[in-house]
Amino acid sequence: MEQKVFFIKTFGCQMNERDSEIMAQSLSTYGYVEGMDIAGADLIILNTCSIRAKAEQKVMSMLGYLRKNKKNKPDLKICVAGCVAQQEGKRILKKMPHVDLVVGTQNIYNIGELLLESSKNGPQAAIGLDDKYDIPNLLPTLSSRNQDATISIQPFRKFVTIMQGCNNYCTYCVVPHTRGREVSRKSNDIIDEVNALVKGGTKEITLLGQNVNSYGKTNSVSDNGNSYSFSDLLREVSEVKGLKRLRFTTSNPKDLTDDLMRCFQNIDNLCHQFHLPVQAGSDSVLKKMNRKYTVRQYLNLVDNLRHYCPEIALTTDVIVGFPGESPEDFEGTMNLLEKVQFHGSFSFKYSDRPGTRAGSFEEKIDETIKSERLARFQARQDEISFKRNREYVGKIKTVMVEDCSNDSVKSRTETNHIVHCAKTIDARPGDCLDVTITRAGQHSLQGKIINPG
Ligand code: 5AD
Ligand code: SF4
């Protein structure tokens, strides 16, 4: 078979990173190998995100730019996959006639077949979204991707999808529309995948889902039909021999159980890090967002998490300028920031998304006010993150090595902080070392290697 080269550009979340891996793996059975740039590619895939208007605009402008490439190389195949593909479907083919294939979020496993189909019969859009979707089982082959493509596909650190879709219908969010109804994978399939990865040299696993806390709630995930929760899954995965670190993302506070919080106390290899999106610090905004918790309830969760795991590093997502957000509502978000002192946060200006309820809400906030609020929030978060980073100075931490190809060693703590050290010993990615933290920067820490951990 003639070997062809594909180039894949991933936008958006870790879920998409994992989906890109799946497409890469599927394509490898169709004679494709991964390349590192657009120039040498026979097939270009944009794996897209539509969570915010800006993310979607980025994809559209890149697609427009690829028109030239197709003109210069008529055999070039262009594929749009992921959330924008799901959302726009055939409209993409109409607007962008140089696109050969549109692959929706549940169709990525068939990308190879769909490509053949488009070669035979012209441009295709596969965007079926099945409510009772069975996530196919594709055991990972660690070698299926170009290992330099992104940091997240380094073989010692891998993602495992445990569920797809979302049933929460937060009023601002496009995900239920692009990823469909919530479906959890069978626990045995997940354990098999983790076992295969760890056997192949993986040291750290991140379990992925739009709302992992509700794993197993909408469909049966155990072979005997017994109830089985996300905490049960965490316990089982954590016991896979050779797995050094376990993480998960992302969580909705409304489904966070005491049992799950206690896992941070009881599971040794569960990393002391929690991403718990709050979105807003005002009860009335949270209600309009359909988040189903109050500020007080969120603060109680934070207290409980810190009770079970005092050193846990908390991060969050915040939206500013949601329709109707008053100056007082926004002060509520600033107050929450002061109370929790998050280690870090991701903050965004609200943007209307197609098909969402908030899209039709009145009292839209002026863009300049949104920008001012975002700037204020981010400036304060930067100060807090820096202060949090300084708390680590003088402490001894175990870090996992990510890169030691230069004279410094780049590594990561359990709390997800990057640590740079002078290369005083030879280490490989995935090795654990003990370091003393010597300095804190705004975005990373510096340390000194003491001994292999
Ligand atoms: N506008 C702005 N931010 C959004 N997010 C999700 N939808 C929107 C939207 N319409 C943010 C939320 C979510 C993160 C992934 O993106 O904070 O947690
Ligand atoms: Fe973007 Fe959400 Fe789709 Fe991930 S699931 S790619 S964040 S829209």
Side-chain angles (χ1 to χ4, degrees), residues 314-372:
L314 290 179
T315 54
T316 199
D317 289 345
V318 160
I319 296 176
V320 302
F322 187 78
E325 184 188 69
S326 66
E328 294 72 33
D329 290 327
F330 176 65
E331 289 312 318
T333 301
M334 293 301 292
N335 285 339
L336 182 117
L337 186 59
E338 293 306 326
K339 281 193 184 130
V340 180
Q341 302 276 306
F342 293 103
H343 285 69
S345 68
F346 302 91
S347 48
F348 313 99
K349 287 191 272 185
Y350 167 81
S351 63
D352 282 338
R353 303 312 297 131
T356 60
R357 270 169 52 209
S360 60
F361 286 179
E362 287 173 5
E363 295 185 82
K364 292 276 155 60
I365 305 296
D366 195 80
E367 279 303 313
T368 48
I369 294 182
K370 282 192 215 168
S371 300
E372 279 165 23

Side-chain angles (χ1 to χ4, degrees), residues 92-128:
I92 295 181
L93 298 179
K94 249 201 191 138
K95 270 195 261 173
M96 311 264 180
H98 57 294
V99 171
D100 297 278
L101 187 57
V102 175
V103 183
T105 51
Q106 287 185 358
N107 298 277
I108 54 166
Y109 291 82
N110 297 334
I111 187 168
E113 259 326 292
L114 290 165
L115 267 175
L116 292 180
E117 178 78 18
S118 77
S119 296
K120 261 197 251 151
N121 300 323
Q124 302 286 319
I127 53 157

Side-chain angles (χ1 to χ4, degrees), residues 422-439:
K423 192 168 158 182
T424 48
I425 60 166
D426 223 8
R428 281 168 317 174
D431 286 351
C432 284
L433 304 171
D434 284 343
V435 303
T436 305
I437 306 298
T438 52
R439 260 190 71 191

